[in-house]
Amino acid sequence: DHRTLHAREVEESLKQQFGKLVFKAAVPHTVKFRDASVAGTTILTAAAKSPAAQAYRAVAQALLQGT
């Protein structure tokens, strides 16, 4: 989530420490995670078309491809 200075600083620190091991895909923070948890489901079910769900799919794809 690039909206906060803290998030940008943490991301930069991780990139400096781990380099290419850090995924390019980042999952944004959203209240939809909390809503999904309360509903007893996942973000992929509760808000399948949301940017957060799309980001999780991108991370999964990166894991599968090793990128």
Side-chain angles (χ1 to χ4, degrees):
D1 186 355
H2 296 288
R3 293 178 291 182
T4 67
L5 175 60
H6 180 258
R8 291 189 302 268
E9 288 174 342
V10 168
E11 182 179 7
E12 184 58 35
S13 176
L14 289 170
K15 285 180 179 178
Q16 287 177 2
Q17 187 170 2
F18 297 104
K20 292 183 178 185
L21 295 175
V22 177
F23 291 113
K24 293 179 180 118
V27 179
H29 179 76
T30 177
V31 70
K32 293 181 186 214
F33 288 119
R34 194 172 335 148
D35 294 344
S37 178
V38 168
T41 188
T42 69
I43 191 75
L44 298 172
T45 301
K49 295 182 181 181
S50 71
Q54 292 172 1
Y56 265 110
R57 286 187 197 93
V59 169
Q61 190 68 27
L63 280 168
L64 292 171
Q65 293 177 351
T67 59

